Amino acid sequence: MARKKIALIGGGQIGGVLAQLIAQKELGDVVLFDIVEDMPQGKTLDIAEASRVDGFDVKLKGTNDYKDIAGSDLVIVTAGLPRKPGMSRDDLLTTNAKIMKSVAEGVRDNAPNAIVIIISNPLDAMVTLFQKVSGFDHAKVIGQAGVLDSSRFSTFIAWELGLSVKDINAMVLGGHGDTMVPLVRYANVNGIPVMEMLERKYGDAAKAKEVMDAMVERTKMAGGEVVKLLKTGSAFYSPASSAIMMAEAIMKGENRLMPTCAYLKGEFGVDGYYVGVPAVLGENGVEKIIELSLNEEEQAAMDKSISAVKNLVADMERLGF
Ligand code: APR
C-alpha cells in the first residue's frame, strides 16, 4: 500500500503539534507549509531528528512552495492569525479570510484530490470560504471544532464527577462560537445520563442543573479561557489532537461518528451552510450526516447558533469574499 501523504498548511503552534502527532502515529508522510521562510523546514528537521528516539519512520518536509503538497491525500489548514486576549473568534474574519482564500487556491491548484480539514478561525466561515474558492466536493471539506468543544465538555464533566474522562460521552453541536450547543440531555457516562449522576450526587435537581449550567458555560468560553492564560496565542495542543482524531478516521476509513463542521443539504432544517453536526467520517470524508431528535429548548439553541453562522457568512460576503 502506498504511503499516505498529509500536507499541513500553516506551520505555527497547531501546525507543529500536528506534524509531530502525525509522525508519532505514522499516519503518513508530512509536508509542512508556511509563508515564513525556513521556519517549517526547521520544525520538520527538529521532529525528524526525534524519529530514532520515538521509533517512527515517516518522511517530513518543510516548505514555502505549494508545489510540494502535490499528491496529498489529506490537507489540514491552520494558516491564519490566532486570537489575542479579549478577542472573539469572529474578530479574526477579515485577516483570516484573505489568508484562507490564498490557501484554497494553493490547495486547489496543487492537491486537487485531497480531503481537507480546516482549523483556522472563525471556523464556520473559513470552511465555507475554502470550499467556495476550491470548488472541492462539500463532503471533502470539513472543519474541526466540535471534537474539541466536546472534549472540553467531557473533561469538565469528568472532573465534576471524579470519573475517568474515558467513560464520558458528550457532544457539542452548532457553530464554533459563543452560541455553540453542548447537548446536556445526551451527555452520558457509559450510557448513564450525566444529569442523573449529578442529581444523585447533589440529591437536588436544582443544584444539579446549576452545576451543569456552569459546565456548559465554561465549555462555550473554554477557548477564551486558554487565550487569557496564554496571552500570546490560542489553544494548540487540544485543537491539534482533535484534528488528528478526524484525520485518523479518514485515513483509516474508520467510519467514526463525531461532531464535524459539515455542509448541510436540508439536515437539521438547514440548507447550504456549514454547521457543527454529528457526522460519520471515513475514507471519502463525510460519509453521512446523522440527525438526532432535539427537544424544544435544544432546537432553539441550535437555531440561534445556526443564525450566528449565517450572520458570520453574510459578513464575510459583505467583505467581498
Ligand atoms: N499561508 C500559509 N500560512 C500562513 C499564511 C498564509 N497565507 N498566513 C499566515 N500563515 C501562518 C503563519 O505564518 C503562522 O505560522 O499560519 C501560522 C499560524 O500559526 P499560529 O500563529 O501559531 O496560530 P495557531 O495557534 O497555530 O492557530 C492557527 O487556528 O485555532 C485557529 O484561531 C486559530 O486561526 C488560528 C489558527
Side-chain angles (χ1 to χ4, degrees):
M1 198 173 74
R3 271 232 302 247
K4 301 278 190 186
K5 178 169 173 180
I6 304 176
L8 307 174
I9 311 297
Q13 297 271 67
I14 303 177
V17 180
L18 284 172
Q20 189 183 28
L21 289 173
I22 291 166
Q24 288 176 345
K25 287 174 176 274
E26 295 188 318
L27 278 183
D29 292 334
V30 177
V31 176
L32 184 67
F33 173 96
D34 204 287
I35 49 165
V36 178
E37 275 183 30
D38 293 339
M39 182 271 282
Q41 291 85 342
K43 283 199 180 180
T44 46
L45 177 63
D46 189 15
I47 295 168
E49 287 170 353
S51 61
R52 176 65 186 89
V53 187
D54 279 336
F56 60 76
D57 187 0
V58 299
K59 291 192 199 121
L60 289 135
K61 184 179 176 64
T63 185
N64 309 111
D65 185 349
Y66 269 111
K67 289 201 179 69
D68 288 322
I69 74 166
S72 295
D73 301 285
L74 182 73
V75 173
I76 307 179
V77 183
T78 61
L81 300 193
R83 283 195 270 176
K84 294 197 174 68
M87 281 172 91
S88 81
R89 293 182 183 89
D90 296 0
D91 293 335
L92 300 168
L93 185 61
T94 315
T95 20
N96 286 358
K98 260 187 226 141
I99 293 172
M100 191 54 64
K101 184 165 183 278
S102 73
V103 170
E105 289 163 354
V107 175
R108 176 195 66 198
D109 297 345
N110 294 279
N113 298 318
I115 294 177
V116 182
I117 302 174
I118 308 286
I119 304 183
S120 314
N121 277 313
L123 195 266
D124 309 282
M126 293 303 103
V127 183
T128 305
L129 181 61
F130 185 101
Q131 192 284 325
K132 184 174 162 189
V133 175
S134 68
F136 285 11
D137 191 356
H138 286 109
K140 293 195 164 188
V141 180
I142 56 178
Q144 186 300 116
V147 173
L148 171 56
D149 297 327
S150 303
S151 180
R152 284 170 166 157
F153 190 29
S154 299
T155 305
F156 302 145
I157 292 170
W159 289 343
E160 167 60 32
L161 293 175
L163 293 173
S164 169
V165 72
K166 290 181 183 173
D167 296 325
I168 314 290
N169 301 295
M171 250 199 313
V172 179
L173 304 184
H176 187 48
D178 301 347
T179 59
M180 66 179 75
V181 186
L183 287 183
V184 171
R185 197 165 51 95
Y186 284 100
N188 69 79
V189 186
N190 285 348
I192 306 168
V194 170
M195 281 316 294
E196 193 178 316
M197 296 193 71
L198 285 175
E199 280 163 24
R200 273 180 213 278
K201 176 175 171 182
Y202 291 102
D204 173 2
K207 176 66 186 167
K209 184 175 179 309
E210 190 185 303
V211 169
M212 177 51 88
D213 287 349
M215 290 194 288
V216 164
E217 207 43 41
R218 189 171 181 192
T219 300
K220 291 182 183 178
M221 298 299 155
E225 188 180 352
V226 175
V227 171
K228 199 166 163 215
L229 291 165
L230 292 180
K231 296 183 183 72
T232 56
S234 49
F236 55 102
Y237 296 112
S238 56
S241 294
S242 302
I244 290 295
M245 186 167 122
M246 301 173 84
E248 211 164 355
I250 293 166
M251 302 306 275
K252 297 183 178 171
E254 291 178 322
N255 284 0
R256 287 194 68 181
L257 189 156
M258 54 188 96
T260 300
C261 179
Y263 190 73
L264 300 182
K265 297 175 188 159
E267 300 91 345
F268 292 89
V270 180
D271 197 12
Y273 283 90
Y274 273 98
V275 179
V277 293
V280 177
L281 297 188
E283 60 180 350
N284 302 304
V286 174
E287 305 284 353
K288 201 174 180 194
I289 306 272
I290 305 294
E291 292 196 80
L292 74 179
S293 56
L294 299 176
N295 65 25
E296 216 170 292
E297 192 188 340
E298 292 156 352
Q299 188 62 55
M302 194 69 177
D303 289 345
K304 192 171 159 205
S305 194
I306 289 163
S307 54
V309 171
K310 288 182 175 172
N311 287 338
L312 183 66
V313 171
D315 284 349
M316 185 168 72
E317 284 169 357
R318 261 194 298 278
L319 289 167
F321 292 99

